[in-house]
Amino acid sequence: MELIDIRKLGKINLSPICRWGNILLLKKTAGEGPLYDKEIIGYYTYNIHEKKLKSIEIGQGEVIYDSFNESYVEGEDKFYFTTFEEQVFVNDMILKKVDVETGLTKDILNFNLEKKYNSLIVEKLKEGVFIVFYKEEPEYTEEYLDFLSEMNYDKDRYGFEGATLFDTINDEKYEINDKFFLRGLKSIFFKTKLKGEMCIVTEENYIEPYEKEQFYVDVHMNRLAKKDKFYYRDYMKYISLDKFIQEIEEGAEKISFIDIEGYDLEGYEMFSGVDEKNIYYIKKVFGQENSEAIVSVDKETLNKKEIVLPSQYAEDMNSCPPMYMWNLAGNNKYIFNKKSISRRKVKLKQVINGNMEYIYESKLGQVKEFVENRYLIISDNMDGYKTSIIDITNNKVKTFKRNNKAFDDVLVLY
């Protein structure tokens, strides 16, 4: 495993975005921590072999959104970001494409939005065709927090308020008329090949699994009327890219997605990752023993394989039940069964890729990565960032006052 500490590069508030082979893409924010995540003031590339840092020009305007594509998912390695400049009634937006070799950027789409729309998803669909989802993200005022505390699920506070398809080749734009699709889109929207054809994969999702399970319990205990609610739905679905674009251009009020897996009140599915060969998600049917499973969908055949996660319970009233934890992104996949064996010790047992069992001190934090089936990467962010690396072959522990992110066999500290 290669260790890269980007704090030693002389730039503060740098954090990693993605890795393409020998190149790390980094962003610079106005401050450290999640509060500053969206206050992006610069981008850099770092050549791992040459150990060189190169800045990327941003130009005028503030960055409001960025996204990257990876060849094993979308078919190309690309990075885009969107800047805005305030005008009297609207914000002028520019989508820029980055050449990571030279650090130069190119303007590829100009559009404007009402000033209230401060949250976006911008994605390239194909050469010259882009889609922009937009919504108003409320400020976390006392009034809004009161609204959240009242659990007013029926109010339409979900998804995106609108979306526009831009065809820059023919200088055309089309509004998306499928309001149910927009309402159900939380964050999962990407393109990838399924059965050899480029497709759009998306997830309709509204509330968290624990919230949904509580609704299920309340209905079955007769504490809540048994009525279908749109926010009970969890559905992963897909459509061919060309058909998606065609139906939007034709003004379709219901886009003809095909379900991969879905549940209403009786259970949930939750997207968990994608790689070159598979899409991964978690599913569970409420009220059934051993119904929770990790599912992999073969991208060539759409055949499914399941790893069942047997139900677990606390040994006594004073102990926490064992739990499953997993990471299905990249090459360092793991599924662990985690159990507290004392107030100070935690036991991990591997569910896939071997039969590893390991005990470590709970004060170190939570497992975040398992690199090369050898290094446990443990994070503790309770009092600043702290990363511990445990080599399970010799029990050696190294601790750094840093955050971390793993890209296969490279661990970046920042």
Side-chain angles (χ1 to χ4, degrees), residues 326-340:
W326 54 80
N327 183 350
L328 302 175
N331 291 331
N332 297 317
K333 295 178 176 59
Y334 66 76
I335 306 174
F336 288 141
N337 184 278
K338 176 184 174 184
K339 180 180 179 181
S340 296

PDB file of all heavy atoms in Angstrom, residues 326-340:
ATOM      1  N   TRP A 326     -19.994  -2.609   5.560  1.00  0.00           N
ATOM      2  CA  TRP A 326     -19.469  -2.995   4.260  1.00  0.00           C
ATOM      3  C   TRP A 326     -18.996  -1.788   3.480  1.00  0.00           C
ATOM      4  O   TRP A 326     -19.367  -0.642   3.752  1.00  0.00           O
ATOM      5  CB  TRP A 326     -20.543  -3.736   3.452  1.00  0.00           C
ATOM      6  CG  TRP A 326     -21.828  -2.976   3.312  1.00  0.00           C
ATOM      7  CD1 TRP A 326     -22.113  -1.969   2.441  1.00  0.00           C
ATOM      8  CD2 TRP A 326     -23.001  -3.144   4.110  1.00  0.00           C
ATOM      9  NE1 TRP A 326     -23.384  -1.500   2.640  1.00  0.00           N
ATOM     10  CE2 TRP A 326     -23.962  -2.222   3.647  1.00  0.00           C
ATOM     11  CE3 TRP A 326     -23.339  -4.011   5.167  1.00  0.00           C
ATOM     12  CZ2 TRP A 326     -25.228  -2.121   4.221  1.00  0.00           C
ATOM     13  CZ3 TRP A 326     -24.601  -3.913   5.721  1.00  0.00           C
ATOM     14  CH2 TRP A 326     -25.527  -2.965   5.242  1.00  0.00           C
ATOM     15  N   ASN A 327     -18.159  -2.071   2.498  1.00  0.00           N
ATOM     16  CA  ASN A 327     -17.723  -1.098   1.515  1.00  0.00           C
ATOM     17  C   ASN A 327     -17.636  -1.848   0.189  1.00  0.00           C
ATOM     18  O   ASN A 327     -16.869  -2.800   0.061  1.00  0.00           O
ATOM     19  CB  ASN A 327     -16.369  -0.498   1.894  1.00  0.00           C
ATOM     20  CG  ASN A 327     -15.920   0.577   0.911  1.00  0.00           C
ATOM     21  OD1 ASN A 327     -16.518   0.758  -0.144  1.00  0.00           O
ATOM     22  ND2 ASN A 327     -14.873   1.287   1.266  1.00  0.00           N
ATOM     23  N   LEU A 328     -18.446  -1.462  -0.779  1.00  0.00           N
ATOM     24  CA  LEU A 328     -18.516  -2.176  -2.049  1.00  0.00           C
ATOM     25  C   LEU A 328     -17.982  -1.343  -3.209  1.00  0.00           C
ATOM     26  O   LEU A 328     -18.235  -1.648  -4.367  1.00  0.00           O
ATOM     27  CB  LEU A 328     -19.966  -2.605  -2.318  1.00  0.00           C
ATOM     28  CG  LEU A 328     -20.580  -3.499  -1.237  1.00  0.00           C
ATOM     29  CD1 LEU A 328     -22.041  -3.777  -1.531  1.00  0.00           C
ATOM     30  CD2 LEU A 328     -19.811  -4.797  -1.082  1.00  0.00           C
ATOM     31  N   ALA A 329     -17.229  -0.283  -2.892  1.00  0.00           N
ATOM     32  CA  ALA A 329     -16.667   0.582  -3.930  1.00  0.00           C
ATOM     33  C   ALA A 329     -15.216   0.181  -4.204  1.00  0.00           C
ATOM     34  O   ALA A 329     -14.477  -0.190  -3.293  1.00  0.00           O
ATOM     35  CB  ALA A 329     -16.742   2.043  -3.488  1.00  0.00           C
ATOM     36  N   GLY A 330     -14.809   0.246  -5.456  1.00  0.00           N
ATOM     37  CA  GLY A 330     -13.417  -0.002  -5.808  1.00  0.00           C
ATOM     38  C   GLY A 330     -13.006  -1.454  -5.632  1.00  0.00           C
ATOM     39  O   GLY A 330     -13.831  -2.370  -5.572  1.00  0.00           O
ATOM     40  N   ASN A 331     -11.702  -1.667  -5.525  1.00  0.00           N
ATOM     41  CA  ASN A 331     -11.163  -3.022  -5.411  1.00  0.00           C
ATOM     42  C   ASN A 331     -11.086  -3.528  -3.980  1.00  0.00           C
ATOM     43  O   ASN A 331     -10.893  -4.721  -3.749  1.00  0.00           O
ATOM     44  CB  ASN A 331      -9.754  -3.087  -6.034  1.00  0.00           C
ATOM     45  CG  ASN A 331      -9.787  -2.929  -7.542  1.00  0.00           C
ATOM     46  OD1 ASN A 331     -10.773  -3.288  -8.185  1.00  0.00           O
ATOM     47  ND2 ASN A 331      -8.725  -2.385  -8.113  1.00  0.00           N
ATOM     48  N   ASN A 332     -11.201  -2.623  -3.007  1.00  0.00           N
ATOM     49  CA  ASN A 332     -11.058  -3.016  -1.600  1.00  0.00           C
ATOM     50  C   ASN A 332     -12.413  -3.305  -0.967  1.00  0.00           C
ATOM     51  O   ASN A 332     -12.793  -2.729   0.048  1.00  0.00           O
ATOM     52  CB  ASN A 332     -10.335  -1.913  -0.820  1.00  0.00           C
ATOM     53  CG  ASN A 332      -8.924  -1.685  -1.318  1.00  0.00           C
ATOM     54  OD1 ASN A 332      -8.198  -2.640  -1.576  1.00  0.00           O
ATOM     55  ND2 ASN A 332      -8.542  -0.432  -1.478  1.00  0.00           N
ATOM     56  N   LYS A 333     -13.154  -4.225  -1.563  1.00  0.00           N
ATOM     57  CA  LYS A 333     -14.483  -4.548  -1.042  1.00  0.00           C
ATOM     58  C   LYS A 333     -14.379  -5.371   0.229  1.00  0.00           C
ATOM     59  O   LYS A 333     -13.483  -6.209   0.374  1.00  0.00           O
ATOM     60  CB  LYS A 333     -15.291  -5.315  -2.090  1.00  0.00           C
ATOM     61  CG  LYS A 333     -15.601  -4.500  -3.338  1.00  0.00           C
ATOM     62  CD  LYS A 333     -16.353  -5.346  -4.349  1.00  0.00           C
ATOM     63  CE  LYS A 333     -16.763  -4.523  -5.559  1.00  0.00           C
ATOM     64  NZ  LYS A 333     -15.618  -3.918  -6.256  1.00  0.00           N
ATOM     65  N   TYR A 334     -15.298  -5.118   1.154  1.00  0.00           N
ATOM     66  CA  TYR A 334     -15.369  -5.955   2.349  1.00  0.00           C
ATOM     67  C   TYR A 334     -16.790  -5.971   2.889  1.00  0.00           C
ATOM     68  O   TYR A 334     -17.577  -5.040   2.666  1.00  0.00           O
ATOM     69  CB  TYR A 334     -14.397  -5.477   3.434  1.00  0.00           C
ATOM     70  CG  TYR A 334     -14.705  -4.123   4.032  1.00  0.00           C
ATOM     71  CD1 TYR A 334     -15.740  -3.933   4.962  1.00  0.00           C
ATOM     72  CD2 TYR A 334     -13.962  -2.996   3.680  1.00  0.00           C
ATOM     73  CE1 TYR A 334     -16.017  -2.694   5.505  1.00  0.00           C
ATOM     74  CE2 TYR A 334     -14.231  -1.750   4.212  1.00  0.00           C
ATOM     75  CZ  TYR A 334     -15.256  -1.604   5.125  1.00  0.00           C
ATOM     76  OH  TYR A 334     -15.531  -0.364   5.661  1.00  0.00           O
ATOM     77  N   ILE A 335     -17.113  -7.045   3.567  1.00  0.00           N
ATOM     78  CA  ILE A 335     -18.312  -7.125   4.408  1.00  0.00           C
ATOM     79  C   ILE A 335     -17.855  -7.707   5.730  1.00  0.00           C
ATOM     80  O   ILE A 335     -17.328  -8.823   5.776  1.00  0.00           O
ATOM     81  CB  ILE A 335     -19.411  -8.016   3.799  1.00  0.00           C
ATOM     82  CG1 ILE A 335     -19.757  -7.585   2.376  1.00  0.00           C
ATOM     83  CG2 ILE A 335     -20.668  -7.975   4.667  1.00  0.00           C
ATOM     84  CD1 ILE A 335     -20.726  -8.515   1.680  1.00  0.00           C
ATOM     85  N   PHE A 336     -18.017  -6.955   6.803  1.00  0.00           N
ATOM     86  CA  PHE A 336     -17.600  -7.403   8.120  1.00  0.00           C
ATOM     87  C   PHE A 336     -18.816  -7.585   9.026  1.00  0.00           C
ATOM     88  O   PHE A 336     -19.811  -6.848   8.920  1.00  0.00           O
ATOM     89  CB  PHE A 336     -16.673  -6.383   8.795  1.00  0.00           C
ATOM     90  CG  PHE A 336     -15.294  -6.313   8.214  1.00  0.00           C
ATOM     91  CD1 PHE A 336     -14.654  -5.093   8.072  1.00  0.00           C
ATOM     92  CD2 PHE A 336     -14.624  -7.462   7.820  1.00  0.00           C
ATOM     93  CE1 PHE A 336     -13.381  -5.012   7.541  1.00  0.00           C
ATOM     94  CE2 PHE A 336     -13.343  -7.391   7.289  1.00  0.00           C
ATOM     95  CZ  PHE A 336     -12.714  -6.168   7.153  1.00  0.00           C
ATOM     96  N   ASN A 337     -18.710  -8.552   9.909  1.00  0.00           N
ATOM     97  CA  ASN A 337     -19.612  -8.654  11.048  1.00  0.00           C
ATOM     98  C   ASN A 337     -18.870  -8.060  12.243  1.00  0.00           C
ATOM     99  O   ASN A 337     -17.770  -8.510  12.589  1.00  0.00           O
ATOM    100  CB  ASN A 337     -19.971 -10.118  11.312  1.00  0.00           C
ATOM    101  CG  ASN A 337     -20.978 -10.263  12.438  1.00  0.00           C
ATOM    102  OD1 ASN A 337     -20.604 -10.252  13.604  1.00  0.00           O
ATOM    103  ND2 ASN A 337     -22.227 -10.396  12.092  1.00  0.00           N
ATOM    104  N   LYS A 338     -19.446  -7.035  12.830  1.00  0.00           N
ATOM    105  CA  LYS A 338     -18.786  -6.310  13.915  1.00  0.00           C
ATOM    106  C   LYS A 338     -19.512  -6.579  15.228  1.00  0.00           C
ATOM    107  O   LYS A 338     -20.733  -6.457  15.311  1.00  0.00           O
ATOM    108  CB  LYS A 338     -18.784  -4.815  13.608  1.00  0.00           C
ATOM    109  CG  LYS A 338     -18.203  -3.945  14.714  1.00  0.00           C
ATOM    110  CD  LYS A 338     -18.349  -2.467  14.357  1.00  0.00           C
ATOM    111  CE  LYS A 338     -17.901  -1.583  15.507  1.00  0.00           C
ATOM    112  NZ  LYS A 338     -18.119  -0.152  15.219  1.00  0.00           N
ATOM    113  N   LYS A 339     -18.731  -6.922  16.258  1.00  0.00           N
ATOM    114  CA  LYS A 339     -19.320  -7.261  17.555  1.00  0.00           C
ATOM    115  C   LYS A 339     -18.442  -6.703  18.673  1.00  0.00           C
ATOM    116  O   LYS A 339     -17.216  -6.887  18.665  1.00  0.00           O
ATOM    117  CB  LYS A 339     -19.429  -8.786  17.691  1.00  0.00           C
ATOM    118  CG  LYS A 339     -20.022  -9.263  19.005  1.00  0.00           C
ATOM    119  CD  LYS A 339     -20.076 -10.782  19.045  1.00  0.00           C
ATOM    120  CE  LYS A 339     -20.655 -11.270  20.363  1.00  0.00           C
ATOM    121  NZ  LYS A 339     -20.690 -12.758  20.429  1.00  0.00           N
ATOM    122  N   SER A 340     -19.062  -6.012  19.623  1.00  0.00           N
ATOM    123  CA  SER A 340     -18.335  -5.544  20.810  1.00  0.00           C
ATOM    124  C   SER A 340     -18.186  -6.718  21.774  1.00  0.00           C
ATOM    125  O   SER A 340     -19.179  -7.316  22.193  1.00  0.00           O
ATOM    126  CB  SER A 340     -19.092  -4.398  21.490  1.00  0.00           C
ATOM    127  OG  SER A 340     -19.160  -3.277  20.645  1.00  0.00           O
TER     128      SER A 340
END
